[in-house]
Amino acid sequence: MAKIPKLTVPSKELLNDIDVFMFDCDGVIWKGHSVIEGVPYVLNKLRALGKRIFFITNNSTKSRNGYKKKFDSLGLDVSADEIFSSSFAAAIFLEQIKFKNSGKKAYVIGESGILEELELIDVPYLGGPDDRDKVLSMGPGDKLEYDKNVGAVIVGFDRHINYYKIQYAQLCINKNEGCHFIATNTDSVSPITDAQEWAGGGSMVGAIKGCTGKEPTVVGKPSPLIIDYLCDRLHLQRDRICM
């Protein structure tokens, strides 16, 4: 285990050496629909000291604009440019590999946040909430037809995951040559409400790993993708970031 020295005077030892603070959201800024006590004070204090603040969440159910609305509802003054969700991270990855130029589509196991981010980068998609009620017939000779032009399967938290989605995803990954398997995160549990922890996005990703035998490209934390993106785009110094 790494030996990390305990801060004795945080205002001197931490604040003087850090320019940028990056916060998780679920369980750090809020629990469920309630802001955690002390958070507004801390954020206001950091801004008053001239610190830059960013919010990074592995929850892919909302887009950046969707999270902006949540911050607003909690009375927290946060700009959309300060919010980075794993749904946005999936879009960043597709842009980095120039996926749009391939002319292919993405199949989504997930919710509206991923779809909204794909729309912003003009990547065509199918799946998501549209497949929530689909049921397969598995009698003699039955098979599921799938789109041969799917070049990426994106798996995020999905409250309506079902066997149809799992089968469709495995066919695309196993049968479509070069199809990318992208996971927004592999969190085992998530503090979705303030009452208990819930099975996280890793449970959805695990189902697809199990039927494909393949490891995904993980774009959410602890992947460095968002950190790299921010440092490159905003010229941040890595040794002056606290996350």
Side-chain angles (χ1 to χ4, degrees):
M1 182 179 294
K3 293 183 178 180
I4 301 174
K6 183 177 181 179
L7 296 175
T8 55
V9 187
S11 60
K12 178 181 179 181
E13 299 175 33
L14 178 63
L15 295 180
N16 289 346
D17 296 331
I18 299 298
D19 299 322
V20 180
F21 287 84
M22 298 183 178
F23 294 95
D24 198 347
C25 295
D26 294 307
V28 175
I29 301 299
W30 59 65
K31 275 194 174 182
H33 300 287
S34 304
V35 66
I36 293 175
E37 184 179 359
V39 164
Y41 171 80
V42 170
L43 298 181
N44 290 336
K45 183 70 173 178
L46 291 174
R47 292 191 192 281
L49 291 170
K51 307 300 181 182
R52 303 184 76 172
I53 299 175
F54 297 99
F55 302 89
I56 302 176
T57 175
N58 269 352
N59 191 328
S60 64
T61 60
K62 295 182 178 64
S63 63
R64 288 165 294 166
N65 287 332
Y67 276 108
K68 166 64 176 162
K69 293 176 182 177
K70 177 152 189 175
F71 277 103
D72 290 345
S73 72
L74 296 173
L76 299 174
D77 186 15
V78 173
S79 73
D81 291 336
E82 294 175 318
I83 304 167
F84 294 87
S85 62
S86 60
S87 53
F88 178 53
I92 292 174
F93 176 75
L94 291 180
E95 287 199 308
Q96 289 178 343
I97 64 172
K98 296 180 170 51
F99 183 79
K100 183 180 175 181
N101 295 345
S102 72
K104 294 185 178 294
K105 307 170 187 175
Y107 182 73
V108 177
I109 293 179
E111 303 190 12
S112 62
I114 298 173
L115 308 188
E116 290 171 16
E117 295 293 351
L118 293 180
E119 289 170 0
L120 290 174
I121 61 171
D122 295 322
V123 167
Y125 61 82
L126 61 159
D130 286 347
D131 288 350
R132 62 182 290 177
D133 296 321
K134 292 184 178 178
V135 178
L136 290 173
S137 174
M138 290 183 283
D142 285 335
K143 65 178 182 178
L144 175 61
E145 297 295 339
Y146 64 97
D147 194 321
K148 308 301 190 296
N149 201 37
V150 168
V153 172
I154 304 173
V155 184
F157 185 81
D158 190 334
R159 282 167 284 199
H160 303 286
I161 191 169
N162 55 33
Y163 190 76
Y164 178 94
K165 295 180 182 182
I166 294 171
Q167 173 67 354
Y168 202 105
Q170 79 86 5
L171 287 171
C172 292
I173 293 170
N174 285 336
K175 301 295 186 181
N176 291 353
E177 184 177 356
C179 183
H180 296 275
F181 175 16
I182 302 166
T184 61
N185 71 85
T186 55
D187 295 347
S188 56
V189 293
S190 298
I192 297 170
T193 71
D194 57 2
Q196 67 183 96
E197 289 189 321
W198 299 75
S203 59
M204 292 80 189
V205 174
I208 307 307
K209 286 174 60 176
C211 59
T212 62
K214 297 181 180 179
E215 291 292 326
T217 297
V218 182
V219 295
K221 296 174 296 179
S223 163
L225 185 143
I226 291 181
I227 300 287
D228 291 343
Y229 174 84
L230 282 170
C231 289
D232 292 343
R233 181 186 177 200
L234 303 177
H235 308 292
L236 305 178
Q237 291 182 245
R238 293 176 184 272
D239 61 352
R240 296 188 66 83
I241 297 173
C242 177
M243 185 172 182

